[in-house]
Amino acid sequence: MIFLLIVNTRTAQLRACSELNNEVKIMDKYVITRKYFDGYSIHNSDHVFVIKNGIISENYDMNEGSIKYLKGRGQVLDLRNKFVTPGLIDSHNHFTLTSLKLKYQVNFAGVRSFPEFIELLENNRNKIIHDWFQGYAINEYDMEEKQLPDRLVIDGVFPDIPVFITQMTEHYAVCNSRALELAGITKNTESPPNGKIGRYENGEPNGILYEANAMDLVKKIIPEYNVDDYITAIKLGAEQYKDNGISTVKDMGGTGNDVNEEIRVAALNKLSEEGNLELRIALVLPVYSVKDVKGKIQLWKQVHENDRLKFSGFKMFMDGSILSRTAWMRNNYAKPENTENKGIPLWDIENFRNALEILSQTGQHISIHTIGDRAIVTALDVIEDIKSHGKSSTYTLVHCYKLDKDIIRRIKEMEVGVETQLAFIHFIGDGLTENIGKNQSKCLFPAKTLMMNNIPVSNGSDSPVTPFNPIYGLYSSIFRKTYTGKHTEIYNGKEELTMEETLKTYTSQSSLTIEWDKVGILGNNHFSDFSVWDNTPSDLGNKLDSWLNMKINAISLH
């Protein structure tokens, strides 16, 4: 685990009053390191970082005599027995959504069977918020039955309370009969565009809803959390993220009606302006339709930027998820066998083009959710066309699983970045291969190849899809092992990253992705955000438990 330090002399400073002229003197702070990573490479030398007003003003190598001298001049934090990196950045994370789930919903990530699912429901009968039971992170690929429990299973525990539980990818969910009843979903309800209502053979809905347009049929009737609920949840989330070594998060917002973006912006504005936002938040606004574009542009202008809160652009969703078989592919899915299914786009392509063109004119960064190779190619085609008309912004492709040599060449030539989440290999790698087959899986997550082509690659968790603890992403980047090991040979062998390369994806490379140049680097004129590790990760071997057992402490000096 990781020890996080944010030295923040802007909000609270050590002061010594002069008896002669009553002036206030702000004392410097000195962070002394020995083994550290500065955002680019690992160093082994006694080194000092001088902190003034929350900024690294100087840094230089030093000897023991110099260290003794410094201890008489200001506050010294001696970290020579630790491994020090810039504060880690999670470059793709639904932080506010995760915080709401942490505070108000039930985590089903550890469920391995229907009986365990029922037991967790039973044990959380009191977790009813606004007359609803909500949960998240259930994953049928980790369960003995290899399928989601349907509405009838949930009805056995909650026949009268509406229930809504998202699958770990947040691209589909299961609800009970009461939730379907309140939403007016019946046998005669047609699936919405770019979404799907799961059904039994007789046509009755089974409680499973695929993609945002279908899930929103239920989500839109769930009572919203108010701004105070958001603030409470965000404070809890920030504390837990800090305790896992994260100092900056690119918060992507919701995935539909699960987050009220106006309330989210109001809550983050209030916390940052009052000095109560413990993390640095790079805020992104999701855009779901052409009609949504104007409102999100107006909302962007309501973000009050400061050292803790920055607007980092817009996000669009081109396709779905491989686990739900809605990621838009050029070839058929392997399961069910002999079925014609290549997934679906979540936009009409002409509408996507129009929306992207309008957003590009703002000059703000745009992230595009693209998992399947057809979605990736389509997004690149549209970006290329917009660039040819001189209206381009900066772009990253999010997730970007399935990449061949030609796609990688185009990404490089078009100067498009990649927001990857290599923890997916550990958590869903086996499920991905089960759905698309071994041949198609061979070109998933080619992080090494991307970096060798000088394509900016940032790493994140996509929480709540995978845990926000960066250890999982760091470990998966280096070892590329799946959860069960069943399909590990598909993912490792040539795309493993070195320790330095991996750390870059969580620091200097991520600072490029979120376009915040003061984070992710231990250097002059950068924020004094440090992650301090009890061990050097490269000394921990290849066992995940050894990594997860690394001790962690978190501190902010105010």
Side-chain angles (χ1 to χ4, degrees), residues 98-197:
T98 298
S99 299
L100 292 170
K101 289 177 180 289
L102 287 171
K103 181 63 179 176
Y104 305 115
Q105 301 182 22
V106 176
N107 186 349
F108 285 81
V111 167
R112 297 293 179 261
S113 66
F114 280 15
E116 287 186 14
F117 173 77
I118 293 169
E119 182 181 6
L120 192 56
L121 288 175
E122 293 276 8
N123 291 342
N124 286 277
R125 284 181 173 272
N126 63 339
K127 193 81 172 185
I128 310 298
I129 307 294
H130 302 320
D131 299 321
W132 280 72
F133 178 99
Q134 294 188 73
Y136 64 102
I138 188 169
N139 183 13
E140 69 272 32
Y141 294 92
D142 290 341
M143 299 173 69
E144 294 174 6
E145 296 82 0
K146 300 302 178 186
Q147 64 183 44
L148 285 179
D150 61 18
R151 64 178 173 88
L152 298 179
V153 175
I154 305 174
D155 289 350
V157 181
F158 286 109
D160 302 314
I161 300 293
V163 174
F164 186 84
I165 302 168
T166 53
Q167 200 269 356
M168 70 170 294
T169 63
E170 295 288 317
H171 280 269
Y172 52 117
V174 60
C175 54
N176 67 347
S177 297
R178 179 58 175 156
L180 293 176
E181 178 187 355
L182 291 173
I185 299 174
T186 68
K187 182 178 181 178
N188 297 322
T189 304
E190 294 185 2
S191 293
N194 306 319
K196 177 183 175 183
I197 298 172

Side-chain angles (χ1 to χ4, degrees), residues 95-105 225-241 267-268 271 277 279:
F95 165 72
T96 300
L97 176 61
T98 298
S99 299
L100 292 170
K101 289 177 180 289
L102 287 171
K103 181 63 179 176
Y104 305 115
Q105 301 182 22
Y225 306 112
N226 60 38
V227 68
D228 290 332
D229 294 331
Y230 272 67
I231 287 172
T232 300
I234 289 169
K235 285 182 176 180
L236 171 68
E239 181 180 346
Q240 294 195 21
Y241 277 57
L268 289 170
L271 285 167
L277 191 56
L279 294 179

